[in-house]
Amino acid sequence: MRKKKNGFRRPVIVKQSKQQQHQPSVDPITGKKIPKSFVFSRGKLPGSLKQLQMDLRKLMLPYTALSLKEKKRNNLKDFLNVAGPMGVTHFLILSKTASAPYLRVATTPQGPTLTFKIHEYSLAADIARSQLRPRCPKDLFKNSALIVLSGFVSGDPPLQLTTNMFQNIFPTIDVKTVKLPSCQRILLLNYNKDTKLIDFRHYSIRLQPVGVTRRIRKLVQSHQVPDLRNLQDVSDFVTKAGYGSESEADEEAATVTLSSDIGRMNRASTKSAVKLQEIGPRMTLQLVRVEKGLCSGEVLFSEFGEADGKGKGKGKSDDEMKYEEDSEGGEDEEEQDGEHPEDSEDDEELD
């Protein structure tokens, strides 16, 4: 007979930078509460999904815990106990079954919870390696990303709930007072009604002045003296064509007129081209379940079968049953044990 002692449950550790410690809880302009998030996992994850978890934390910056330290024996109550005093409003929870990884997005402290099956994903590092000139400025994650939703039908309750969930994860902006330099990232969610899949894409936003050659842009931005040894005149440097198409940024559909200065090249009342460059992570998601509570409660929607209103679904597939075993069974075990894995050496073998 194996007997376990009641060990001490290690708390969830959250390390915050000085900037995060002084973050306001209410937006001074809109007067609305600023949403904050925890991104963590339930169960054991392979290395690639652990990196996806870190990529999601960076995506949710600055209003998330980038250095959240979690233990295997920490359950949802542990995270809720820390989330309350810190003003955390949403959980993003990664998990893995034998068939597929899942992402749960939940509103604290009482739900609802949306469960997405991750069909495909690419890490931010994979996206960067596929690009000729990866772009990641040092201040890219200083401000929250903008959220853009496409293809979500307002009349479909599950999709409407998905729309509301993602809109509330990020701070709202006032288009009249927002500072353009703070808009550096965008999160795009595109729903395909035929496949029922959601394309999850994360981009950086950059501006290029219209009518200015690439050589001049590089000269102004780099602050370096150009190499003119092989040129007869300075005008040769200005007029010589650069690499790539110099007219790609001059398309009317991609240009905007700025209301304020942004950097050295993009000046107020001038036209600039808006360029999006993917920075990752990238995911293909499918909404498979909606629960009324926080990872529990009445099932409002299930892609696997008809819900019976008691948190269980009828006609579930093997994949759904396995998901419930991993997500719910692990929580029950942790509630009963109340121990940290490092305390296992104190277990005693009794005859």
Side-chain angles (χ1 to χ4, degrees):
M1 179 178 179
R2 184 178 179 87
K3 180 180 179 181
K4 292 186 177 181
K5 293 182 179 180
N6 291 328
F8 172 71
R9 183 185 294 279
R10 303 293 176 89
V12 178
I13 301 176
V14 182
K15 294 183 179 180
Q16 292 182 300
S17 63
K18 292 183 178 179
Q19 179 184 0
Q20 289 179 319
Q21 292 175 357
H22 295 87
Q23 285 177 344
S25 58
V26 178
D27 192 305
I29 298 177
T30 63
K32 296 182 178 180
K33 184 178 180 180
I34 297 177
K36 300 180 181 181
S37 63
F38 277 169
V39 181
F40 56 94
S41 63
R42 308 303 298 136
K44 187 176 181 180
L45 296 182
S48 58
L49 280 179
K50 289 181 180 179
Q51 186 57 52
L52 177 62
Q53 175 178 286
M54 291 303 302
D55 288 347
L56 288 175
R57 288 182 181 179
K58 290 187 66 175
L59 185 151
M60 299 304 296
L61 284 174
Y63 299 109
T64 193
L66 185 62
S67 301
L68 179 67
K69 302 296 182 181
E70 53 185 306
K71 302 296 182 180
K72 292 182 180 179
R73 292 296 181 178
N74 289 137
N75 58 25
L76 287 177
K77 289 183 179 180
D78 297 327
F79 289 98
L80 280 174
N81 291 337
V82 179
M86 296 185 62
V88 174
T89 58
H90 294 85
F91 286 166
L92 279 74
I93 310 171
L94 282 170
S95 59
K96 177 72 169 65
T97 68
S99 58
Y102 289 85
L103 172 65
R104 281 180 283 180
V105 183
T107 302
T108 63
Q110 298 178 344
T113 303
L114 277 62
T115 300
F116 298 92
K117 182 179 180 180
I118 304 177
H119 286 262
E120 297 176 342
Y121 67 92
S122 298
L123 304 177
D126 299 329
I127 301 296
R129 280 193 292 265
S130 67
Q131 297 174 345
L132 182 62
R133 297 182 181 87
R135 178 179 182 271
C136 187
K138 61 179 181 179
D139 294 334
L140 186 62
F141 298 94
K142 185 177 180 180
N143 299 285
S144 296
L146 306 178
I147 180 74
V148 175
L149 302 174
S150 174
F152 288 84
V153 182
S154 58
D156 191 331
L159 292 183
Q160 184 62 43
L161 188 57
T162 303
T163 301
N164 295 336
M165 178 71 77
F166 280 101
Q167 284 179 337
N168 293 328
I169 277 183
F170 296 94
T172 57
I173 62 172
D174 187 343
V175 294
K176 297 181 180 179
T177 58
V178 65
K179 297 181 180 179
L180 293 182
S182 67
C183 303
Q184 297 193 38
R185 295 185 293 129
I186 182 171
L187 175 63
L188 173 63
L189 299 181
N190 180 64
Y191 177 73
N192 188 321
K193 64 179 181 179
D194 297 325
T195 61
K196 297 184 179 181
L197 298 180
I198 300 174
D199 294 323
F200 183 105
R201 301 289 187 269
H202 184 210
Y203 299 93
S204 67
I205 304 173
R206 61 189 178 96
L207 297 175
Q208 290 181 188
V210 175
V212 179
T213 64
R214 179 173 295 176
R215 282 177 172 267
I216 298 300
R217 291 201 304 268
K218 293 181 65 176
L219 175 63
V220 175
Q221 294 171 352
S222 64
H223 305 280
Q224 295 179 355
V225 178
D227 186 1
L228 305 177
R229 290 176 296 178
N230 298 325
L231 301 179
Q232 298 296 326
D233 192 84
V234 177
S235 60
D236 295 338
F237 175 83
V238 177
T239 57
K240 186 176 181 180
Y243 297 103
S245 174
E246 293 295 342
S247 62
E248 62 179 357
D250 295 340
E251 298 178 7
E252 188 67 27
T255 61
V256 295
T257 302
L258 301 178
S259 60
S260 61
D261 296 342
I262 301 181
R264 296 170 57 88
M265 294 291 296
N266 301 281
R267 315 301 293 181
S269 302
T270 62
K271 284 190 175 182
S272 294
V274 180
K275 312 291 287 186
L276 298 181
Q277 183 166 343
E278 188 172 4
I279 55 178
R282 175 195 300 180
M283 294 187 289
T284 301
L285 307 174
Q286 179 186 9
L287 179 64
V288 295
R289 187 166 179 159
V290 176
E291 296 166 288
K292 189 175 182 179
L294 182 64
C295 300
S296 63
E298 179 183 353
V299 177
L300 304 178
F301 166 79
S302 176
E303 184 68 24
F304 298 101
E306 181 183 357
D308 63 2
K310 297 180 181 179
K312 303 295 181 180
K314 299 177 181 178
K316 292 190 182 77
S317 65
D318 294 339
D319 189 61
E320 172 75 344
M321 297 298 292
K322 177 62 179 174
Y323 167 75
E324 286 194 352
E325 289 175 3
D326 287 2
S327 61
E328 297 178 5
E331 292 290 338
D332 295 339
E333 180 183 355
E334 291 173 359
E335 288 287 344
Q336 294 171 5
D337 291 347
E339 277 187 279
H340 187 273
E342 296 176 359
D343 296 329
S344 58
E345 61 184 10
D346 294 331
D347 293 352
E348 297 181 356
E349 292 286 349
L350 300 178
D351 296 333

